[in-house]
Amino acid sequence: MLEATILKNLCLLNFLFRPPKQDVERVASLVASLITTDERFADLKPLLQDKMPVFQEDKRHEIKCLIDAEIAHLFGLTDIELRRVLERFDKVHKKLKIWL
């Protein structure tokens, strides 16, 4: 029940809350560094700003964690709330869930 309430609140915040443009651009740049490794997403390369596409798996993992942290910060999630979201999200790799 608590998980459903948290997720509903996050969805509501997503519609009501507009983070500052520089924060959105910072997260977009991180995401672009992951997905512009595939030429199908070459049109997103301008979002990279001063970054390059990242191919190394350890660096990609680090960036994914940074994106999670940035989003959690933007939405004001506590450590407990972020852990709960990551534990419930099926796309989070099992190795990462061990660290939660």
Side-chain angles (χ1 to χ4, degrees), residues 72-91:
H73 176 73
L74 287 174
F75 283 95
L77 296 180
T78 66
D79 291 345
I80 293 169
E81 290 169 331
L82 177 58
R83 283 188 185 136
R84 187 169 304 273
V85 169
L86 294 176
E87 285 171 354
R88 301 292 188 254
F89 189 57
D90 65 342
K91 300 295 183 197

Side-chain angles (χ1 to χ4, degrees), residues 2-95:
L2 179 62
E3 296 87 14
T5 302
I6 290 172
L7 291 175
K8 285 179 188 175
N9 288 341
L10 286 176
C11 289
L12 182 59
L13 275 174
N14 192 34
F15 290 109
L16 299 177
F17 172 73
R18 295 288 179 234
K21 184 178 179 183
Q22 69 270 16
D23 293 337
V24 172
E25 289 174 350
R26 186 174 56 248
V27 172
S29 178
L30 291 168
V31 172
S33 70
L34 296 176
I35 63 175
T36 56
T37 57
D38 186 326
E39 283 305 310
R40 293 176 293 174
F41 301 105
D43 59 323
L44 298 177
K45 286 188 178 181
L47 295 174
L48 286 169
Q49 296 173 0
D50 60 346
K51 294 177 177 47
M52 298 293 294
V54 176
F55 294 89
Q56 303 89 347
E57 199 56 42
D58 59 330
K59 283 292 203 182
R60 292 177 64 80
H61 175 74
E62 185 179 314
I63 290 171
K64 289 175 187 178
C65 291
L66 186 55
I67 292 168
D68 289 341
E70 289 275 355
I71 297 298
H73 176 73
L74 287 174
F75 283 95
L77 296 180
T78 66
D79 291 345
I80 293 169
E81 290 169 331
L82 177 58
R83 283 188 185 136
R84 187 169 304 273
V85 169
L86 294 176
E87 285 171 354
R88 301 292 188 254
F89 189 57
D90 65 342
K91 300 295 183 197
V92 175
H93 197 279
K94 290 177 184 177
K95 288 182 182 177

